[in-house]
Amino acid sequence: MSYQKNELLTVRITDMGLNGEGIGKTDDGYTLFVKDTVTGDLAEIKIIKAKKQYGYGRLMRLIEASEKRTEPFCENARACGGCQLQQMSYKEQLLWKQEKVRNNLIRIGGFENPEVQPAIGMEEPVRYRNKAQFPIGTDKEGNPVAGFYAGRTHSIIPCLDCQLGAKGNEVILKAVLEWMKENGISAYNETTGKGLVRHCLIRIGHSTGEWMVCLVINGKKLPESEKLVEKLTAISGMASITFCPNTRRDNVIMGDSITLLWGEPWITDTIGEIRYQISPLSFYQVNPVQTEKLYSKALEYADLQGEETVWDLYCGIGTISLFLAQKAKKVYGVEIVPQAIEDAKQNAKLNGMENAEFYVGKAEEVLPHLYETQQVYADVIVVDPPRKGCDESLLDTMIQMAPKRIVYVSCDSATLARDLKILCSNGYTLDKVQPVDQFPHTVHVETVCLLSKLS
Ligand code: SAH
């Protein structure tokens, strides 16, 4: 039987896809993907796109609500592209993430029956993000607006207070929008490539209360900036005001340089015993409460006794490196973003740590080069790559260096599984897999793994 667009159907949702969408089948085996539904729902849906074997549906009405459901706490949950799982109870989200990691290890990694620990969740899974990048646009009346992108689009839905972000974001955004209006500062328009203000990046030091505001602009200069500074410095805790030119037409939010308007070009935060300086262009984990749990696991898995040489690849501002340096003889960090390495060096100093050293460059170039020319050595290697995972040439060098343990921290369990398959075909065994929920209500999951060298 074939199905048509706009047809109404009743389906039982029996599974959920990697992007959090519910999956159900009609009696004759036609598969439907339905956003905003949860395994167990019986739903009336309308087909919005019909292919031969499968289609996409919109949830019209719940006939029977799944036991896994909960009421979304945000009124924008369905429209927003940020949260995909708010309609699922937090307990079920954690189970779903554990299963997601396990499935990827089986399907992509080729592991037979991998043991995956229950995901470490948050006690209060709201307002956890220390960073927000609000797109700035213009409404129909010509007023500047800030908000979030509607799912899969770049149209901005005005909203100044995302429930995952810090409460103070709203006050800062109001000040920025007011300044734009009062001074006739234009918002960027993605379609025409005209207009000035593109994004407002806001960060808060969770333990210090220091605020950073960085405006990403389509130009080199920010007019009337002293008036912006005047407004923002009236906000308690303001520590860093900068702008970042980005005149490219692509989707990358940040440009590559920062101009200081007021304060320091960074803020500080602490994780555990360590104090960190963070610049606008540096990566810093977005969920400080869970980051401490994540890094503690990484440290536990590294099992350092004080005599080890450790390499921390993709080290960012040296967050994991310095955590490890508390227990190791020597830690080397490698990171591609020069400003992040500046932060890392400064952070080692800030904490009086002399046993950490940092290199700028691609991990897949720096480590193989140092291994060939200087036979660098490692007892333990930690990797924490971006979503695309590790380059194969890096994995090759790691295998040749043959550290006793490898700790793999991953934000994408698909590329994690791919890379673990290579390491485990070359002398390593997978001992521990621990998901940590850094991103409640989204489909993303962080995982720490311990691999040991087979003797
Ligand atoms: N371990 C750090 C950062 C992890 S995020 C922390 O927990 O804070 C991944 C980092 O890898 C980012 O800082 C990114 O800039 C960096 N990166 C991306 N590609 C890289 C590459 N090819 N070589 C080295 N670093 C890279």
Side-chain angles (χ1 to χ4, degrees):
M1 187 166 157
S2 73
Y3 290 92
Q4 306 291 325
K5 189 173 166 175
N6 292 332
E7 222 176 307
L8 287 171
L9 295 174
T10 298
V11 277
R12 174 76 70 185
I13 303 300
T14 51
D15 201 358
M16 279 167 82
L18 293 175
N19 297 316
E21 70 285 25
I23 305 174
K25 267 191 177 32
T26 60
D27 292 340
D28 53 354
Y30 186 75
T31 304
L32 281 156
F33 297 93
V34 190
K35 194 172 135 343
D36 307 309
T37 60
V38 173
T39 305
D41 283 344
L42 184 66
E44 181 178 79
I45 67 114
K46 185 182 198 170
I47 297 188
I48 47 176
K49 195 170 180 184
K51 302 245 187 186
K52 243 203 166 82
Q53 308 292 336
Y54 63 93
Y56 297 90
R58 174 177 301 131
L59 171 64
M60 303 304 284
R61 188 169 66 92
L62 272 179
I63 300 164
E64 260 173 61
S66 162
E67 285 176 357
K68 299 180 197 285
R69 260 190 183 272
T70 186
E71 195 55 44
F73 53 82
C74 172
E75 58 178 8
N76 295 312
R78 265 187 92 167
C80 178
C83 287
Q84 304 87 13
L85 298 178
Q86 257 194 46
Q87 70 284 7
M88 201 179 197
S89 77
Y90 189 53
K91 186 178 128 236
E92 291 294 336
Q93 289 182 25
L94 293 175
L95 291 171
W96 183 81
K97 290 185 184 189
Q98 179 185 10
E99 206 43 35
K100 175 174 175 172
V101 174
R102 213 179 95 84
N103 282 339
N104 278 334
L105 288 176
I106 295 170
R107 208 167 44 81
I108 302 170
F111 294 90
E112 224 161 76
N113 189 15
E115 191 183 339
V116 176
Q117 300 300 312
I120 300 175
M122 292 189 83
E123 262 160 49
E124 285 271 343
V126 286
R127 298 218 177 270
Y128 58 82
R129 288 185 63 100
N130 58 13
K131 171 183 165 183
Q133 290 164 313
F134 288 90
I136 309 283
T138 312
D139 68 10
K140 287 201 189 81
E141 282 78 47
N143 296 310
V145 290
F148 55 84
Y149 291 130
R152 293 169 204 274
T153 76
H154 269 199
S155 50
I156 299 174
I157 299 188
C159 169
L160 303 187
D161 183 29
C162 165
Q163 307 284 306
L164 301 192
K167 193 72 196 128
N169 288 343
E170 189 175 2
V171 180
I172 292 173
L173 286 172
K174 274 190 180 149
V176 170
L177 295 176
E178 226 177 70
W179 163 79
M180 288 177 70
K181 214 170 160 178
E182 288 168 4
N183 296 282
I185 309 283
S186 58
Y188 180 66
N189 178 325
E190 273 190 335
T191 324
T192 61
K194 300 227 165 69
L196 189 64
V197 183
R198 299 176 72 137
H199 275 87
C200 180
L201 162 73
I202 306 175
R203 253 182 186 158
I204 180 156
H206 176 72
S207 68
T208 58
E210 293 175 10
W211 286 106
M212 165 190 286
V213 177
C214 176
L215 288 192
V216 184
I217 60 167
N218 177 35
K220 297 263 179 301
K221 288 208 186 97
L222 192 65
E224 310 293 347
S225 61
E226 59 307 327
K227 291 189 181 138
L228 174 69
V229 166
E230 199 178 302
K231 276 192 193 293
L232 290 177
T233 48
I235 296 168
S236 135
M238 192 53 59
S240 170
I241 306 173
T242 57
F243 68 86
C244 174
N246 176 5
T247 51
R248 291 187 319 262
R249 294 287 298 264
D250 58 23
N251 274 344
V252 179
I253 294 178
M254 301 301 285
D256 17 69
S257 70
I258 294 294
T259 305
L260 180 65
L261 289 173
W262 182 87
E264 301 288 356
W266 62 73
I267 54 167
T268 57
D269 194 15
T270 55
I271 304 173
E273 306 276 289
I274 314 233
R275 197 173 176 88
Y276 297 101
Q277 153 184 324
I278 310 143
S279 305
L281 292 178
S282 297
F283 174 90
Y284 187 60
Q285 295 282 354
V286 297
N287 183 333
V289 172
Q290 294 301 89
T291 299
E292 185 162 357
K293 300 177 193 170
L294 177 74
Y295 290 173
S296 301
K297 264 291 158 205
L299 188 61
E300 176 194 320
Y301 287 175
D303 191 21
L304 302 173
Q305 309 299 322
E307 282 312 307
E308 293 85 354
T309 299
V310 183
W311 282 80
D312 176 21
L313 308 171
Y314 310 89
C315 69
I317 62 171
T319 28
I320 298 182
S321 323
L322 298 184
F323 232 71
L324 299 166
Q326 300 174 94
K327 297 273 170 69
K329 186 169 91 189
K330 179 88 194 192
V331 178
Y332 297 95
V334 185
E335 158 67 40
I336 198 169
V337 173
Q339 287 91 341
I341 285 293
E342 286 304 309
D343 282 348
K345 288 180 177 163
Q346 193 53 38
N347 288 333
K349 268 199 208 134
L350 204 62
N351 293 282
M353 293 179 142
E354 288 174 355
N355 59 339
E357 213 173 293
F358 296 97
Y359 295 91
V360 186
K362 291 185 178 171
E364 62 273 24
E365 288 172 4
V366 172
L367 194 68
H369 176 74
L370 289 172
Y371 182 63
E372 268 163 42
T373 54
Q374 301 172 28
Q375 281 79 50
V376 290
Y377 168 84
D379 294 294
V380 178
I381 295 182
V382 178
V383 294
D384 184 5
R387 283 188 202 161
K388 68 172 192 237
C390 295
D391 203 272
E392 231 182 301
S393 61
L394 176 66
L395 295 174
D396 281 347
T397 302
M398 287 164 57
I399 290 162
Q400 287 173 50
M401 285 171 75
K404 286 194 277 296
R405 285 181 290 287
I406 295 173
V407 179
Y408 196 133
V409 183
S410 158
C411 55
D412 183 326
S413 53
T415 57
L416 168 73
R418 179 200 69 199
D419 292 350
L420 292 184
K421 184 176 187 176
I422 295 176
L423 293 169
C424 291
S425 314
N426 288 282
Y428 284 86
T429 109
L430 182 57
D431 287 342
K432 292 261 165 61
V433 182
Q434 175 65 67
V436 179
D437 192 19
Q438 297 276 86
F439 317 103
H441 313 297
T442 77
V443 291
H444 301 291
V445 56
E446 194 87 8
T447 313
V448 203
C449 296
L450 170 63
L451 294 107
S452 305
K453 180 102 188 77
L454 289 165
S455 44

